Amino acid sequence: MGAAFTRWLLTWMASTALVLAIFLGAWVVLLHGYHWLPEVDAQRHAIVSYLLRGMGNELPEMAYLNPAEAFHLLDVRQLFARVDRLFVGVLACCLLLLYGWKRFAGGCLALHSGYLGLACILLLGLLMALGGFVPLFVLLHYWLFPAGNWVFPDDSLLIRLFPLDYFFRFGLVYGVVVLGMFVGLIVWGHTRGRLS
């Protein structure tokens, strides 16, 4: 009983760590991959470059930003840096669990992680189907920026450079990438199970 419970617990710990590593890793790679994409708007490119420069307390030196926009960008920059560090930590935990428990090298972990990741995506999809993208976007901003410094008038520069469609398109790409990774884990897990 004790060995079976330990195996179950370690399987789910490693699965959860792998799912988090995939969600965070896809986020980090897609955000940092932005630099390789052609960008038409120089101001938007300058803002994204600032956001990806790591943790720092200096405000962006862009004359076209008002103080509220600059402070919000500083908050976003610090959030992105924390997500980068969280990804490294989760990935390290995941690799330690994988190394310490050889059984995970098989299809068992891939199947658990793939199905857990799909369940998370389905839950998120259900929330969006019930309320739409905008309420989820607003809820996420309330949660991440409790000071409320993320609300700007419709004619502000940040709203014009980063309209809701910009975030929706990024969310679609992100969703497709993580969905593909979880489906790939499930296929690999089933293939690995048939081979062993």
Side-chain angles (χ1 to χ4, degrees), residues 67-145:
E69 293 169 332
F71 278 107
H72 177 63
L73 289 178
L74 176 60
D75 287 347
V76 173
R77 178 185 185 185
Q78 292 173 342
L79 174 69
F80 284 1
R82 285 193 296 270
V83 169
D84 285 350
R85 283 195 305 245
L86 180 62
F87 168 63
V88 170
V90 167
L91 186 61
C93 289
C94 186
L95 292 174
L96 284 172
L97 284 166
L98 289 171
Y99 180 75
W101 199 253
K102 305 294 186 204
R103 180 180 172 86
F104 292 155
C108 177
L109 176 67
L111 286 174
H112 281 101
S113 301
Y115 286 123
L116 181 61
L118 280 183
C120 292
I121 291 172
L122 288 174
L123 180 63
L124 188 61
L126 179 64
L127 288 173
M128 284 185 57
L130 293 174
F133 178 74
V134 175
L136 189 61
F137 180 82
V138 169
L139 179 66
L140 189 63
H141 277 71
Y142 270 120
W143 181 53
L144 293 173
F145 307 107

Side-chain angles (χ1 to χ4, degrees), residues 6 35 43 54 62 77 80 83 85 100 106 125 132 137 139-140 144 152 155 158-160 165 176-177 193:
T6 302
H35 287 290
Q43 288 177 329
M62 301 170 200
R77 178 185 185 185
F80 284 1
V83 169
R85 283 195 305 245
F137 180 82
L139 179 66
L140 189 63
L144 293 173
F152 302 103
D155 62 344
L158 284 185
I159 298 296
R160 285 183 281 128
D165 283 351
V176 167
V177 167

